[in-house]
């Protein structure tokens, strides 16, 4: 969920990747830790690109620039994966096989899929990775899962953090609903941020 530390975890992974490359004498480039996101707003937050554009998922051709970028990729990050459909993920799999190993899932690239699966994309609910209509391509090809559950963003206001957590879970009490709708709560959060 929001405030659990996803950004901190990604920054730690990037630092590890950089230190590993430095120690191993591997040249560090802009795409060694290739940050992409499904949505443009998420991509711009890290100075990355959308995964669709970076991979060329919707293009038949592969440019020399793309070949070079993907040859230097050590870790790929795909943020907001929770908004992708299974079809799009399978398209990505096929495209990455063109850059990397043809016989390995996602071309053999090490990938960090990041997202908040509590978010839903409008109009695509039945096509998303975790829908009941999914053939489970996504789940079958993961080899590790980390679920962040701390409330880092709300360490100074645990009550509000719990309130938001309960809201996301759809488990609000009548008192919590009244608190959310009160002007005091809105004003308190404005002052804090």
């Amino acid at each position: 969920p929001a405030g659990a530390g996803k950004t901190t975890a990604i920054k730690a992974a990037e630092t590890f990747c950089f230190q590993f490359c430095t120690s191993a004498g591997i040249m560090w480039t802009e795409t060694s830790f290739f940050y992409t996101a499904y949505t443009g707003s998420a991509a711009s937050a890290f100075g990355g690109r959308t995964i669709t554009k970076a991979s060329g998922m919707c293009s038949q051709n592969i440019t020399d620039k793309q070949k070079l970028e993907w040859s230097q990729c050590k870790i790929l990050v795909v943020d907001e994966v929770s908004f992708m459909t299974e079809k799009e993920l399978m398209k990505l799999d096929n495209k990455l096989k063109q850059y990397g190993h043809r016989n390995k899932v996602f071309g053999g690239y090490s990938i960090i899929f990041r997202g908040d699966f509590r978010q839903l994309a409008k109009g695509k609910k039945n096509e998303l990775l975790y829908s009941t209509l999914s053939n489970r391509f996504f789940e079958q090809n993961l080899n590790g899962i980390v679920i962040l559950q701390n409330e880092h963003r709300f360490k100074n206001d645990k009550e509000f953090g719990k309130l938001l957590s309960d809201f996301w879970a759809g488990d609000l009490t009548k008192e919590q609903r009244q608190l959310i709708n009160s002007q005091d709560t809105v004003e308190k959060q404005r002052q804090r941020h």
Side-chain angles (χ1 to χ4, degrees), residues 1-10 114 148 150-153:
K6 292 186 299 291
T7 300
T8 302
I10 289 297
R114 177 180 115 144
L148 302 175
N150 74 35
E151 294 174 356
H152 172 74
R153 186 177 294 164

Side-chain angles (χ1 to χ4, degrees), residues 120-137:
L120 295 174
K122 292 180 183 173
K124 296 198 305 187
K125 194 172 182 180
N126 291 330
E127 301 171 19
L128 296 174
L129 299 177
Y130 46 86
S131 75
T132 55
L133 301 177
S134 165
N135 72 18
R136 305 291 182 228
F137 173 80

Side-chain angles (χ1 to χ4, degrees), residues 79-84 114-117 119 121 128-130:
D79 197 0
E80 298 292 6
V81 71
S82 46
F83 287 110
M84 289 184 81
R114 177 180 115 144
D116 182 349
F117 282 89
Q119 297 172 322
L128 296 174
L129 299 177
Y130 46 86

Side-chain angles (χ1 to χ4, degrees), residues 44-107:
S44 66
F46 269 86
R49 287 179 266 167
T50 65
I51 188 59
T52 305
K53 184 169 183 157
S55 68
M57 278 169 43
C58 297
S59 172
Q60 296 295 326
N61 302 325
I62 295 175
T63 67
D64 289 339
K65 181 183 177 190
Q66 286 172 316
K67 286 179 191 174
L68 178 63
E69 286 179 337
W70 287 97
S71 71
Q72 297 168 343
C73 178
K74 305 300 177 228
I75 295 179
L76 169 64
V77 177
V78 181
D79 197 0
E80 298 292 6
V81 71
S82 46
F83 287 110
M84 289 184 81
T85 65
E86 190 162 47
K87 271 186 188 174
E88 291 167 325
L89 204 65
M90 292 171 88
K91 244 181 170 175
L92 177 62
D93 173 54
N94 288 329
K95 198 62 169 189
L96 293 182
K97 285 177 179 175
Q98 293 176 23
Y99 297 120
H101 298 282
R102 290 183 190 161
N103 299 322
K104 293 185 177 180
V105 178
F106 297 114

